[in-house]
Amino acid sequence: MNLAKPRIDVGLFTNNLEAMLAFYQNEVGLPFDHVLPLGGGRQQHRHDLLGSVLKINASRDPIAERPPAGYRELLIAREGLLGLKRLTDPDGNLVTLVPPGTFGITRIGVKLGVRDTSAHRRFYAVALGLPDVPEAGGDSFLCGDSVILVENNPNAPSDASMEGTGFRYITVQVLKTDEEHEGILARGGKEGLAPQTLGTVARISFVRDPDGNWIEISQRASLTGTLD
């Protein structure tokens, strides 16, 4: 993929906004950036995540509870640590601070539980065209300088929902959403949402991995200068 930003963003949904904001801002230490209205009573509270964005999405109406998606853990590199520091946010999502270089992570990583690692290797290496993490080996992939760690998990979903609380999607910022979306489908990816334009902000689409996990393909005007 032709990336407009050399790292992924991470999206989660919550019914527990104030406690979640306090956790990520105070305990994890992420700087708040701004609130992005999403329409329909939803707002996205965006935080800087070492150059990535953590998107904490909340709604005026309660978000329905659904089984978790395959995104199981957010890993964040933190200078000065001698080992892993495992945290749990107020919604029960796992967040682990790691010494830089752990699992090949220099900024952030996302741990993904899957039912079939071979199928996901084909998806991430072929459909998305991501290289392996040299330091980690096995089923770990680099998207810019972000790491996607794929692990076998027999309890992983077979048709992950975008709805529900918890980590629900990752975002890849690209130069041309339509070109990348079409290419991913041609190489075996599944469509989640056809490309569409969100005002003057971004042109986005969604694709899905073999377990149905959602990946946003985003052409953001602030990064690319155009939505054409």
Side-chain angles (χ1 to χ4, degrees), residues 19-87:
M20 292 286 275
L21 293 178
F23 171 83
Y24 283 101
Q25 292 174 14
N26 301 328
E27 192 163 348
V28 182
L30 303 186
F32 171 73
D33 191 332
H34 68 280
V35 175
L36 176 66
L38 300 178
R42 290 191 172 191
Q43 292 184 326
Q44 184 176 97
H45 299 255
R46 297 168 67 89
H47 294 72
D48 179 67
L49 183 60
L50 299 178
S52 296
V53 178
L54 177 66
K55 307 174 184 180
I56 301 177
N57 299 290
S59 174
R60 67 184 173 215
D61 299 318
I63 297 169
E65 296 296 335
R66 295 284 189 273
Y71 301 112
R72 297 302 170 89
E73 186 176 355
L74 173 63
L75 302 102
I76 305 171
R78 183 65 51 87
E79 295 287 350
L81 291 180
L82 298 178
L84 306 184
K85 183 177 181 180
R86 300 189 185 279
L87 306 171

Side-chain angles (χ1 to χ4, degrees), residues 1-7 130 143-145 172-175 180:
M1 287 188 291
N2 292 313
L3 301 180
K5 183 174 77 170
R7 52 196 61 99
L130 302 182
C143 188
D145 55 23
V172 182
Q173 298 289 348
V174 301
L175 296 177
E180 300 297 347

Side-chain angles (χ1 to χ4, degrees), residues 1-3 118-131 141-143 148 172 174 177-191 207-210 213 215 217:
M1 287 188 291
N2 292 313
L3 301 180
S118 296
H120 282 77
R121 163 161 283 283
R122 289 191 296 272
F123 174 79
Y124 285 98
V126 178
L128 293 191
L130 302 182
F141 304 94
L142 278 172
C143 188
I148 300 171
V172 182
V174 301
T177 288
D178 292 75
E179 291 180 9
E180 300 297 347
H181 185 89
E182 182 179 351
I184 292 167
L185 299 189
R187 294 188 294 271
K190 296 186 294 185
E191 185 172 74
V207 296
R208 304 178 73 187
D209 74 11
N213 295 299
I215 300 164
I217 308 299

Side-chain angles (χ1 to χ4, degrees), residues 77-150:
R78 183 65 51 87
E79 295 287 350
L81 291 180
L82 298 178
L84 306 184
K85 183 177 181 180
R86 300 189 185 279
L87 306 171
T88 304
D89 75 17
D91 283 355
N93 303 303
L94 300 179
V95 179
T96 301
L97 308 181
V98 304
T102 305
F103 309 124
I105 297 169
T106 58
R107 291 177 180 261
I108 73 163
V110 173
K111 190 170 290 186
L112 179 66
V114 306
R115 293 174 302 127
D116 184 341
T117 54
S118 296
H120 282 77
R121 163 161 283 283
R122 289 191 296 272
F123 174 79
Y124 285 98
V126 178
L128 293 191
L130 302 182
D132 292 350
V133 179
E135 301 89 341
D139 297 305
S140 299
F141 304 94
L142 278 172
C143 188
D145 55 23
S146 299
V147 175
I148 300 171
L149 299 153
V150 176

